[in-house]
Every structure is written in structure tokens, then in C-alpha cells.
Amino acid sequence: MAIKKFDVDVVLEQAINIFWQYGYHGTSMQQLLQATGLRPGSLYREFESKEGLYLLALSRYAADTITTVNARIQGSSSVLDGIKSILLDLFEAAKAKDYCGCFLVKTQLELSAHNESILTNVSEEFAKIEANYCAHLKTVFSPEISVQYAKQLMLIIFGIRVYSYQSEQPADIKEFILSILPWLKDDSNKNIKQG
Amino acid sequence: MAIKKFDVDVVLEQAINIFWQYGYHGTSMQQLLQATGLRPGSLYREFESKEGLYLLALSRYAADTITTVNARIQGSSSVLDGIKSILLDLFEAAKAKDYCGCFLVKTQLELSAHNESILTNVSEEFAKIEANYCAHLKTVFSPEISVQYAKQLMLIIFGIRVYSYQSEQPADIKEFILSILPWLKDDSNKNIKQG
DNA sequence: TTTATTTTTGAATGAACGTTCAAAATGTTA
DNA sequence: TAACATTTTGAACGTTCATTCAAAAATAAA
């Protein structure tokens, strides 16, 4: 029997790139076929439909997001330092000339009136991301405070993701972040939970 | 000679509703024709193209936004109170079950890789909105601080607009806002500029 | 080699897309 | 009423859309 000529993971990554840039309705199958090098039959056999491919691309993107966050936090000297550097990374990423925000956010906004099945997916993924931040925060703050801070964090991240399209960035980004989320400021916070 | 049967302003408002909900690529001419009650010929004679209609709808939406902001501030006991209530309004609006965020934000995200002519428009409108907030803030704070706070405000507004799609709102929204933008807190700020 | 199973191929499909335009209708002006 | 400028009408246009499927190719197992 014949063997697959393509790597599903690679194809998914290529699909993410296109969908992320151009959106669901803004992406044509032709673009996807060109980007992946697949023929219609192969693509449809593997992913069933444009929506099927999108759904898989989306959840793979979301998984990557959480992986990246956790890696950044574990690679930092403290949870708060990790979060700080994640926010700095977001500003940094926005400088790229092909910057295109967050795939999940774009999906949410584009499809909010359209496609329920994709949207429940997005909501779930955001909940996971928020819960992940919350879990990290709980190693530093009380559970109640952590819930609250995680909400703030998500809101600020959304803000950064969208605001970065416009205007130049603040002169001192670090200061800008800390003025909005002052609890990120000092690592003496590390002991607040116990103290 | 024949006379126009439709009111351009009404048609624009109807177009805004559809575009706002479904996005540019997600809206078909058929939907627009149905929503406006126009025939293709009339619509094209008046607006030239789908993009022409979108552009006009967009700038009318942006103008309305600034008008609303200024009305809210002028109707409040102070600039900061006005801004506070604008933010509360945003949260309130998000409770509507047909909530669909900000038309400008959705446009920015959907078309960032597509349509330059529409995007320069969006950037300009955002700059106007930020400048408008900045002007109001300058009646309270120093020019430098006002610029900084206006940036914060825009970022938070973007954040609220997107975050509102997800999850339930914070228990105490007022407190939530003030914890992120503490300078909105006390109206004693009113005198900071002079003091 | 043969058989069985899976995958690739790519032309074809019908539907939906944005747009056009000649003809009819409309109402003002002379 | 006649001449006119303007607007409406809606069928038709060519294109692009997502998707299908019968035939060919590929490889494993028998």
C-alpha cells in the first residue's frame, strides 16, 4: 500500500502560517494547497475540509502557546520574572514587519458571528491559558489574588496584542508594563504568600 | 429626473451592522443588499464597490465613537469620572448577547495582511481616538503624563474589547478597572496639574 | 509476482462570489 | 407636454470558491 508523502505536523505548521495571516474567510484553499504543496484530494483525505484543517491548526497553535509560556517561566529566575519577560517578548514580536497578532484572538474576532464549533474551541483554549497563568501565580500569591491577577494578565496581553498594530511603542516598555501591572514589580513578592 | 429612494446615512448604518458582525470577507454583497434593501445597481452607483461601502461605514463608525466618548466625558462631573464610566460602559456592552467588539479592532485584525488602503484608515482613526483622550487628560495631568496615560487607556480598552468575549466578567468591575488604572481612582487628581 | 490496501492525482463540479449594464422608470425643468 | 438628467432594475457576467471522485500510482503483505 502507498505511504504518505507529507508530514502532517509540517503541513499543520504551514496552514497555521497562512490562516494566521489571512484569517479563515480570507484564506483560499488554493493558498493552502500552494503553501503545503498538497493536491486537493490529499488535503481533503487528511483533514476532511477547510474547517477541519483550521480546527487542527488552531489547537496546535494553542498548545504551542502554553508550551512557550511554561518554558519561559521555567527558564526564568522566578515566576514573576518569567511573566515579565513574556510580556516583553510580546512587544518585541510586534516589531516584526510581518507581525500578525495572536491567531486565537483573530479567530475569536473574525468568527464570533459565524462558526460556533470553532469558537467553543477558542474559548476553551483561552480558559486553559488563563488557568495555566493562574497556576503559576498561585506559587506566589494567594488563590484569590492569583485568579484576579490572571484575569488582569489576560486582559493586558489582549491589549498588547491589539495595540501593537498601532503607533510606536512606549519609550520604556518595561516601565510601561510595570505601571499597569505593579505587582510584577519586585521579587520580594515571592514571599507574599507565606508572609 | 429621478430621485434617490434611500437615505445614505441609513444605508451606512445598516452596512455597519453587517460588516461589524461578519467582517469584510465574511460579508457577502447579497447580505448587504438584503440588509439595505438596495439593488446591486443602486448600491454600486452610490458606493462604487464593496470596499467603498466598507470604507465609508468604517469612518462613520469611527466618527461616532469619538462623538460618544466626548458626550460621555462632557456629561460627567469630571474627565476622569467620564473615562471611568466609558470603561464601565464597555464592560456593560459586552453583556449583550450580540456583542461583537469594536468594528475598528476587528477590521485591523482581519485585514492586516490584506488591504492597505483600509488599514491606513484604521490607523488614522485610532490615532484620532488616542489624541482625543490625550487632549482630555491634559486638562488634568501634565502633557507628558497625559500621553502616557492615553497609551495605557487605549491598551486597556483593546484588552477589554477582546477579553469580554471570554469568560465571566470580574466580580467587581469598578475595582478591577481601578486596580489596573489607579490614576483614575480619586478625583483629587483633578488638581495634580496645578499642584 | 500477485493481491490487497492506501495514497496521490488533477480535471471537473456546482455554488457563490463581486460586479456590470442596457433598458425601464422617475421626476424635474423648459 | 416634451425633453432631460438621474436613478432603479435585475438578469447576466466571468471568476473564484470549496469540494469531489474515478483513475493511476505506490508499497506492503501473501
Side-chain angles (χ1 to χ4, degrees):
Chain A
M1 41 192 161
I3 250 180
K4 231 170 265 179
K5 286 189 183 164
F6 59 90
D7 179 337
V8 175
D9 282 346
V10 171
V11 168
L12 274 181
E13 206 157 318
Q14 292 162 332
I16 288 176
N17 277 336
I18 304 294
F19 277 134
W20 187 356
Q21 258 192 286
Y22 296 100
Y24 182 73
H25 292 294
T27 297
S28 67
M29 288 307 296
Q30 201 141 303
Q31 280 178 281
L32 292 166
L33 294 172
Q34 187 176 343
T36 60
L38 296 185
R39 309 278 164 171
S42 298
L43 197 149
Y44 274 84
R45 224 186 58 85
E46 184 71 37
F47 302 105
E48 188 148 358
S49 65
K50 184 186 182 187
E51 184 176 327
L53 176 56
Y54 192 87
L55 232 59
L56 243 60
L58 197 66
S59 60
R60 131 95 51 150
Y61 174 93
D64 287 355
T65 298
I66 292 187
T67 303
T68 303
V69 164
N70 289 342
R72 209 83 177 88
I73 289 179
Q74 275 149 31
S76 297
S77 61
S78 75
V79 169
L80 296 188
D81 259 358
I83 293 178
K84 236 182 295 181
S85 67
I86 288 168
L87 296 182
L88 287 173
D89 284 352
L90 290 185
F91 276 105
E92 205 56 43
K95 288 179 183 166
K97 71 174 194 300
D98 64 340
Y99 174 69
C100 59
C102 169
F103 187 24
L104 288 164
V105 168
K106 291 181 81 166
T107 300
Q108 172 77 72
L109 297 211
E110 184 189 353
L111 300 180
S112 53
H114 279 289
N115 196 310
E116 288 189 22
S117 74
I118 291 184
L119 281 187
T120 57
N121 255 51
V122 173
S123 286
E124 281 167 21
E125 298 299 351
F126 276 131
K128 278 188 213 164
I129 292 171
E130 181 170 334
N132 186 52
Y133 279 121
C134 193
H136 284 296
L137 288 169
K138 276 181 183 161
T139 67
V140 180
F141 302 108
S142 73
E144 303 79 34
I145 293 284
S146 298
V147 168
Q148 191 187 321
Y149 285 179
K151 275 188 195 302
Q152 288 186 19
L153 201 47
M154 292 297 285
L155 187 139
I156 299 304
I157 289 172
F158 289 139
I160 294 173
R161 288 306 220 167
V162 175
Y163 189 64
S164 293
Y165 284 101
Q166 331 296 331
S167 89
E168 76 251 33
Q169 300 189 349
D172 187 339
I173 293 176
K174 211 164 212 166
E175 189 197 21
F176 184 75
I177 292 173
L178 293 180
S179 70
I180 298 182
L181 299 175
W183 48 268
L184 276 178
K185 204 162 294 177
D186 38 69
D187 276 338
S188 61
N189 274 336
K190 258 188 284 193
N191 303 313
I192 279 185
K193 196 185 178 185
Q194 291 82 6
Chain B
M1 41 191 161
I3 248 181
K4 231 170 266 179
K5 287 187 182 167
F6 60 90
D7 180 337
V8 176
D9 281 347
V10 171
V11 168
L12 273 183
E13 207 157 316
Q14 292 163 332
I16 287 176
N17 277 334
I18 303 295
F19 276 134
W20 189 354
Q21 260 192 285
Y22 297 100
Y24 181 74
H25 292 292
T27 297
S28 67
M29 287 308 294
Q30 199 140 305
Q31 280 178 279
L32 291 166
L33 294 172
Q34 186 176 342
T36 59
L38 296 183
R39 310 279 164 170
S42 299
L43 197 150
Y44 274 85
R45 224 185 59 84
E46 184 71 39
F47 302 104
E48 188 147 0
S49 65
K50 185 186 181 186
E51 183 175 329
L53 177 56
Y54 192 86
L55 232 59
L56 244 59
L58 197 66
S59 61
R60 128 96 52 151
Y61 174 92
D64 288 355
T65 297
I66 292 188
T67 302
T68 302
V69 164
N70 289 343
R72 207 85 178 89
I73 289 179
Q74 276 149 29
S76 296
S77 61
S78 76
V79 168
L80 296 189
D81 260 357
I83 293 177
K84 237 182 294 180
S85 66
I86 287 168
L87 297 182
L88 287 173
D89 284 353
L90 290 185
F91 276 106
E92 203 57 44
K95 289 179 183 168
K97 70 174 194 303
D98 63 339
Y99 175 70
C100 59
C102 170
F103 187 24
L104 288 163
V105 169
K106 291 180 80 165
T107 300
Q108 172 77 71
L109 296 213
E110 184 189 352
L111 301 179
S112 55
H114 278 288
N115 196 310
E116 288 190 22
S117 74
I118 291 183
L119 281 187
T120 57
N121 255 51
V122 173
S123 286
E124 282 168 19
E125 298 299 350
F126 276 132
K128 279 187 211 163
I129 292 171
E130 180 168 336
N132 186 53
Y133 277 122
C134 192
H136 285 296
L137 288 169
K138 277 181 183 161
T139 67
V140 180
F141 301 108
S142 73
E144 302 79 34
I145 292 284
S146 298
V147 168
Q148 191 187 322
Y149 284 0
K151 274 188 197 302
Q152 288 186 18
L153 201 47
M154 293 297 286
L155 186 138
I156 299 303
I157 288 173
F158 289 140
I160 294 175
R161 288 307 221 167
V162 175
Y163 189 63
S164 293
Y165 283 101
Q166 332 297 330
S167 87
E168 75 251 32
Q169 300 188 350
D172 188 338
I173 293 176
K174 210 165 214 164
E175 190 198 19
F176 184 75
I177 292 173
L178 293 180
S179 70
I180 298 182
L181 299 174
W183 47 269
L184 277 176
K185 204 162 294 177
D186 38 70
D187 276 338
S188 62
N189 274 338
K190 257 187 287 197
N191 304 312
I192 280 185
K193 196 183 178 184
Q194 291 81 6

